[in-house]
């Protein structure tokens, strides 16, 4: 089963860190975790990926648990423009429903 | 222009008509994908292609046909449109890149979408 589990929605105050969890308990050892986001009705945008080590880029940080069954995407200083639906996937083809992140002033 | 484009951006058609949605990418990526996104829901994979002349079914392929005669183009055809195919259609492309050890990863680049309404 290639499905992930994410909370349907989360709120975050502007300027605070947004921590988005994802459960991917059926991931295999050779599959990457990918995060994408979709702002309004635009095409999804790649954010970050990781295998087993924590990763950081200019957009976000990715924390993967040691057993690789879950991960957390961290937006260190959320802005209003980060309001979007965030998707966590490990099978590169299958997106779930994602988490709607609402960043509030 | 470089990137991935879709045409048309908006399309209204009637039940039973044939409709073709176009997708073009300029990166020469090996992989291309078609997804549909129904109102308020996530993306579901319709078909994908690993290279020219190689295509495979995704989650929801029924009612759709694809072809890939050239690397840069991946058209999606609804042979006889139905109201249930009203949706936003996204095309994407990617290329396998070297990752940890021998494992590769794929970062997908998405087009702007085509909003299709079937009356």
């Amino acid at each position: 089963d290639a499905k992930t589990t994410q909370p349907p929605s989360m709120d975050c105050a502007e300027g605070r860190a947004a921590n988005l969890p994802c459960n991917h308990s059926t991931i295999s050892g050779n599959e990457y975790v990918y995060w994408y986001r979709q702002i309004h009705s635009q095409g999804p945008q790649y954010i970050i990926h990781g295998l087993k080590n924590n990763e950081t880029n200019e957009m976000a940080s990715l924390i993967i648990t040691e057993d690789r069954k879950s991960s957390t995407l961290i937006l260190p200083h959320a802005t209003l423009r980060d309001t979007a639906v965030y998707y966590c996937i490990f099978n590169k083809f299958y997106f779930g429903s994602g988490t709607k992140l609402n960043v509030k002033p | 222009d470089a990137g991935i484009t879709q045409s048309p951006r908006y399309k209204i058609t009637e039940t039973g008509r044939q409709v073709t949605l176009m997708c073009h990418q300029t990166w020469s990526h090996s992989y291309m994908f078609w997804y549909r996104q129904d109102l308020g829901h996530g993306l579901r994979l319709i078909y994908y292609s690993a290279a020219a002349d190689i295509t495979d079914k995704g989650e929801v392929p029924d009612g759709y046909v694809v072809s890939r005669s050239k690397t840069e183009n991946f058209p999606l055809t609804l042979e006889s449109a139905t109201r249930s195919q009203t949706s936003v259609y996204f095309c994407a492309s990617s290329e396998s890149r070297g990752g940890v050890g021998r494992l590769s990863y794929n970062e997908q680049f998405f087009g702007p979408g085509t909003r299709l309404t079937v009356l």
Side-chain angles (χ1 to χ4, degrees), chain B residues 21 23 26 29 50 55 62-63 75 87 89-90 98:
Chain B
L21 309 183
C23 179
T26 60
H29 284 169
T55 62
D62 293 343
S87 189
Y89 291 83
F90 289 103

Side-chain angles (χ1 to χ4, degrees), chain B residues 51-104:
Chain B
D53 298 321
I54 300 175
T55 62
D56 209 345
K57 297 178 180 179
E59 289 180 271
V60 289
D62 293 343
Y64 302 95
V65 174
V66 293
S67 63
R68 189 144 179 236
S69 58
K70 294 184 178 181
T71 299
E72 61 267 29
N73 296 324
F74 192 38
L76 176 74
T77 298
L78 289 67
E79 292 190 302
S80 179
T82 66
R83 290 194 181 90
S84 65
Q85 293 177 308
T86 292
S87 189
V88 179
Y89 291 83
F90 289 103
C91 177
S93 71
S94 74
E95 189 61 67
S96 290
R97 303 187 190 282
V100 177
R102 294 184 176 181
L103 299 178
S104 63

Side-chain angles (χ1 to χ4, degrees), chain A residues 37-63:
Chain A
R37 74 178 182 183
Q38 185 175 26
I39 297 174
H40 196 46
S41 57
Q42 299 175 18
Q45 174 192 23
Y46 164 84
I47 299 173
I48 198 168
H49 72 276
L51 187 65
K52 50 186 176 182
N53 296 323
N54 298 337
E55 303 287 346
T56 295
N57 63 20
E58 64 278 5
M59 292 182 67
S61 295
L62 175 60
I63 309 296

Side-chain angles (χ1 to χ4, degrees), chain A residues 34 36 49 92-93, chain B residues 25-33 49-52 68 71 92-99 103-109:
Chain A
Y34 302 84
Y36 290 80
H49 72 276
K92 54 183 177 284
F93 305 152
Chain B
Q25 51 106 355
T26 60
W27 296 300
S28 298
H29 284 169
S30 297
Y31 286 90
M32 295 189 74
F33 311 84
S49 168
R68 189 144 179 236
T71 299
S93 71
S94 74
E95 189 61 67
S96 290
R97 303 187 190 282
L103 299 178
S104 63
Y105 66 91
N106 291 62
E107 169 190 345
Q108 293 187 54
F109 295 87

Side-chain angles (χ1 to χ4, degrees), chain A residues 11-25:
Chain A
D11 292 336
C12 178
E14 187 178 20
R16 304 297 291 266
N19 296 278
L20 293 92
C22 178
N23 178 286
H24 34 79
S25 58

